[in-house]
Amino acid sequence: MPFRLGPLELVIILVIVLLIFGVGKLPQIGKSLGEGLKSFKQGVSEDGEEAAKEKEEEKTEPKAEQSAAAAPKAETGAIDEPAKVSEEDLEAFKKWQAEQSGKSASKTK
């Protein structure tokens, strides 16, 4: 059963809305309805764009997996080597460590 609105029905609805909300509130109601429709259209179009991006990512995903598999091999060489620390830095660290242990011992007393 189709629901059709003719010009007479639209005028009746407009009069009822005027009686309920008044003339002062109509611009605010129209503005909020317009913003709601705009955000709805924007959300629908963004969903379509996201779906298209996901499809493109699925096509390029095998290439990304190959490069990701090669990356850990390159990084392992840097991890296996010990860090190089100068003698001056080592002495400064030992001095700092001794100061910190002295401060913590004095705080506990």
Side-chain angles (χ1 to χ4, degrees), residues 3-109:
F3 185 71
R4 298 181 187 177
L5 290 176
L8 182 61
E9 289 87 3
L10 290 174
V11 170
I12 292 172
I13 291 171
L14 181 62
V15 169
I16 292 172
V17 167
L18 279 171
L19 290 173
I20 293 174
F21 295 107
V23 179
K25 292 277 185 177
L26 282 181
Q28 293 174 353
I29 294 170
K31 182 180 177 182
S32 64
L33 283 173
E35 289 175 353
L37 287 173
K38 184 178 178 181
S39 65
F40 177 76
K41 287 180 182 179
Q42 206 172 28
V44 169
S45 67
E46 286 177 2
D47 288 342
E49 291 173 3
E50 289 176 6
K53 286 180 183 178
E54 288 177 4
K55 287 181 182 179
E56 289 177 12
E57 289 175 359
E58 288 175 2
K59 291 178 183 177
T60 59
E61 190 173 314
K63 294 177 184 176
E65 288 178 1
Q66 291 173 355
S67 63
K73 293 178 184 177
E75 293 176 5
T76 55
I79 295 172
D80 292 337
E81 297 176 12
K84 296 179 182 176
V85 180
S86 68
E87 292 295 322
E88 294 173 2
D89 290 339
L90 185 59
E91 290 298 321
F93 175 73
K94 288 180 180 179
K95 184 179 177 182
W96 174 82
Q97 195 174 21
E99 290 174 2
Q100 294 298 319
S101 63
K103 287 181 182 178
S104 64
S106 65
K107 288 181 181 179
T108 57
K109 290 182 180 180

